[in-house]
Amino acid sequence: MNFDWSVVWRNADALLEGVELTVLLAITTMAISIPGGIVFALMRLSNVRVLSAASAAFVELFRNLPLILVVYTAYYVMPVATGLNLSPLTTGIVALSLNVSAYNGETFRAGIASIREGQTEAAYALGMGRWQTMKEIVLPQAIRRVLPVLASTWVSLFKDTSLVSVISVGELAYTSMRIRAQTFRVLEMLTAMAAIYWLLGYPQAKLVDWINRRYGVKE
Amino acid sequence: MNAAAQAPVNADRAADGVPTLTYRNVVKRFDSLTVLNGVSMEVRHKEVVCLIGPSGSGKSTLLRCTNGLELIDEGEVVFDGKPLPRDWNGMRRMRRRMGMVFQNFELFPHKTALGNIAIGPMSVLGTSRERAETHARALLEKVGLADKSASYPFQLSGGQQQRVAIARALAMEPEVMLFDEPTSALDPETIGEVLNVMKQLAEEGMTMVVVTHEMSFAHRVADWIVVMDRGAIIEQGPPRQIFQAPTVERTRSFLSHLGWSG
């Protein structure tokens, strides 16, 4: 079998652009889904029935649908249903954010629930209100406690951005597949893609471990 | 209700005693369980009142009803001449005037000792960080932990954590301090340092309500002892009377179970 690895170097610029878009997708999605997840968690834990039910419905819907279906639906159905005409990139970010916000909502809910009642009472005893207590005492601890879970969500998200290639967003997977189709160098391009995803993903996982050691709350 | 549970009128108490807290027929139920069954008592200004009695007798619940961590079902608690509000938001405004110290310290683990003490005034009273931290340093000095301002709770011993917790409560400049078994979770060798801080507070004239099993502390520091059992006050009086000449049989048996022999 003949290998021609030069196909990788010849398309280095295109692959680099793909990498940039992959990173942009992952960062933008997480930047939306962390506050999004906190909002859904707070809604879910609120005493207001409507908010709690709405949050539960959202989370259970998007957590239990295949991401690729959400991507397709956002691309084909959302413009018709809402009249919004978004670019494939923005559509991809919307779809990813719906999915990751649902997961983060559950993550933060578990984190908030894990902070013992005594912490809340200690804050109330100082005269803090419910919102102050959440903001100053409970959330900062909950966020630190769920850092490992957020980290694995991030690593998943980084790879799942490849799913938006189905709506022609030119990220790394889409670009690799396009080069493969044009050159027929299947094994070379799949290997290059695997190497790039792994080399990008591994240091992130290590970085997250470090963040967790540095900022995790010790008791 | 027996005679001993009536509102106290006793010559042993400070004659100029102005009531800071007055409990009148306080009833608290959890579902069908009645935890406080008509408790009436008084805590006077600058007085140290110790609540003693077996586990489950309602001492902690009475303390938690005082600052509204639990809302009472019947009766009233009068604080500084006014009945306490019966709703959560009303109680929220009263809580800043009462300090509370918990059995398990409940320091905020994501904040340093200094941060734990400064957070109350900063978030509740809107005190500037600079002023809050200056005050916090003074309080750390007062509880003997001036060198621990940058330490996180997990770096401190139990006794040190509880002293920080006392400083945290004092930072709000409360009119009364509520202690809920402050030494029950401590190693024996660190109990003394916490009790010493409490004794010092008492000597400075702080009004204190202390739920405790430390009978020697109650005997030496308290102005008034309240003995509770099964949600009611069975006997109250000055320490001398309670510890040396208890009139109620159940007080005698409770004290003897603790190995107290005067």
Side-chain angles (χ1 to χ4, degrees):
Chain A
M1 221 170 153
N2 285 323
F3 291 109
D4 178 10
W5 293 103
S6 71
V7 65
V8 177
W9 320 125
R10 274 187 280 113
N11 290 287
D13 287 352
L15 288 172
L16 189 65
E17 275 178 39
V19 167
E20 282 171 10
L21 213 49
T22 290
V23 172
L24 177 75
L25 275 165
I27 290 178
T28 312
T29 300
M30 213 38 155
I32 293 169
S33 304
I34 285 181
I38 292 175
V39 169
F40 283 118
L42 293 178
M43 281 170 66
R44 184 70 178 269
L45 294 167
S46 114
N47 293 327
V48 185
R49 273 264 173 76
V50 184
L51 292 179
S52 173
S55 168
F58 174 91
V59 167
E60 293 309 340
L61 178 64
F62 285 104
R63 187 164 79 132
N64 294 302
L65 284 178
L67 181 49
I68 196 161
L69 179 67
V70 178
V71 173
Y72 274 126
T73 309
Y75 189 64
Y76 290 110
V77 180
M78 196 172 64
V80 184
T82 65
L84 280 173
N85 238 327
L86 305 175
S87 70
L89 176 65
T90 315
T91 306
I93 290 172
V94 169
L96 289 168
S97 299
L98 289 171
N99 178 268
V100 179
S101 294
Y103 273 98
N104 284 356
E106 286 300 279
T107 302
F108 285 119
R109 182 164 74 105
I112 292 168
S114 78
I115 305 302
R116 60 175 186 277
E117 183 66 17
Q119 288 284 298
T120 307
E121 291 187 344
Y124 287 167
L126 288 171
M128 288 191 202
R130 292 183 205 272
W131 172 240
Q132 272 175 330
T133 301
M134 186 53 77
K135 183 167 73 81
E136 302 282 351
I137 306 304
V138 178
L139 267 183
Q141 293 182 61
I143 290 171
R144 284 173 171 86
R145 197 166 281 184
V146 300
L147 272 179
V149 186
L150 286 180
S152 56
T153 304
W154 165 263
V155 173
S156 291
L157 164 65
F158 192 76
K159 294 173 295 179
D160 286 348
T161 54
S162 60
L163 289 171
V164 302
S165 61
V166 299
I167 56 169
S168 309
V169 178
E171 42 68 71
L172 179 58
Y174 180 86
T175 306
S176 310
M177 294 305 169
R178 183 175 53 75
I179 298 166
R180 180 203 60 176
Q182 286 163 353
T183 62
F184 304 107
R185 308 301 327 180
V186 177
L187 266 172
E188 289 87 338
M189 286 317 296
L190 288 181
T191 309
M193 198 172 138
I196 297 171
Y197 270 114
W198 193 89
L199 286 172
L200 289 172
Y202 183 71
Q204 292 170 17
K206 290 287 124 185
L207 177 69
V208 164
D209 285 348
W210 178 83
I211 291 174
N212 195 33
R213 275 200 306 276
R214 175 79 180 71
Y215 294 102
V217 173
K218 300 182 194 68
E219 282 198 69
Chain B
M1 213 182 341
N2 64 43
Q6 298 296 329
V9 182
N10 191 300
D12 282 305
R13 285 184 119 172
D16 61 339
V18 184
T20 295
L21 283 163
T22 308
Y23 302 77
R24 292 200 188 108
N25 287 311
V26 172
V27 174
K28 173 67 188 175
R29 297 184 197 93
F30 291 118
D31 297 321
S32 60
L33 184 71
T34 303
V35 186
L36 294 176
N37 191 10
V39 170
S40 299
M41 65 170 228
E42 201 172 81
V43 178
R44 295 184 187 171
H45 188 53
K46 299 194 172 190
E47 193 174 58
V48 177
V49 172
C50 281
L51 302 180
I52 66 172
S55 301
S57 57
K59 313 177 297 285
S60 290
T61 304
L62 186 65
L63 208 62
R64 293 163 59 83
C65 285
T66 310
N67 73 345
L69 289 180
E70 309 288 353
L71 299 175
I72 63 175
D73 293 308
E74 287 171 36
E76 66 175 1
V77 181
V78 179
F79 175 51
D80 191 25
K82 292 181 205 70
L84 287 177
R86 299 290 283 271
D87 62 300
W88 201 89
N89 278 319
M91 272 317 298
R92 186 197 150 188
R93 284 187 291 278
M94 304 310 292
R95 287 195 194 112
R96 71 182 62 168
R97 298 171 58 190
M98 308 180 193
M100 187 162 197
V101 175
F102 297 85
Q103 182 177 352
N104 294 314
F105 330 135
E106 297 298 351
L107 289 181
F108 306 130
H110 60 302
K111 293 190 175 293
T112 60
L114 196 74
N116 265 280
I117 301 169
I119 181 76
M122 281 166 60
S123 64
V124 178
L125 306 176
T127 309
S128 71
R129 175 178 296 273
E130 200 191 339
R131 275 192 56 197
E133 290 189 346
T134 307
H135 188 202
R137 273 179 223 286
L139 287 168
L140 273 175
E141 176 129 26
K142 182 187 176 86
V143 298
L145 293 170
D147 55 335
K148 298 290 184 190
S149 66
S151 300
Y152 284 88
F154 78 95
Q155 297 168 316
L156 301 172
S157 73
Q160 291 171 331
Q161 288 190 53
Q162 193 62 299
R163 284 187 281 157
V164 173
I166 292 171
R168 174 178 70 178
L170 291 174
M172 296 296 291
E173 302 191 321
E175 293 154 54
V176 56
M177 285 284 284
L178 312 172
F179 292 86
D180 190 3
E181 298 196 28
T183 59
S184 295
L186 293 175
D187 292 332
E189 68 266 31
T190 64
I191 289 177
E193 64 194 53
V194 172
L195 293 180
N196 281 336
V197 169
M198 291 169 63
K199 186 161 176 283
Q200 182 195 337
L201 269 182
E203 281 159 3
E204 288 168 8
M206 175 62 78
T207 308
M208 295 163 57
V209 187
V210 185
V211 173
T212 188
H213 294 296
E214 290 294 326
M215 293 306 145
S216 54
F217 174 83
H219 196 193
R220 278 190 296 135
V221 180
D223 298 296
W224 195 255
I225 304 280
V226 173
V227 190
M228 291 185 70
D229 189 26
R230 291 179 216 161
I233 293 173
I234 55 171
E235 181 164 9
Q236 53 183 317
R240 225 176 328 112
Q241 177 201 318
I242 298 294
F243 289 111
Q244 277 145 33
T247 56
V248 179
E249 173 53 34
R250 264 187 295 170
T251 306
R252 276 197 287 272
S253 90
F254 169 68
L255 290 174
S256 72
H257 279 118
L258 289 175
W260 177 268
S261 51

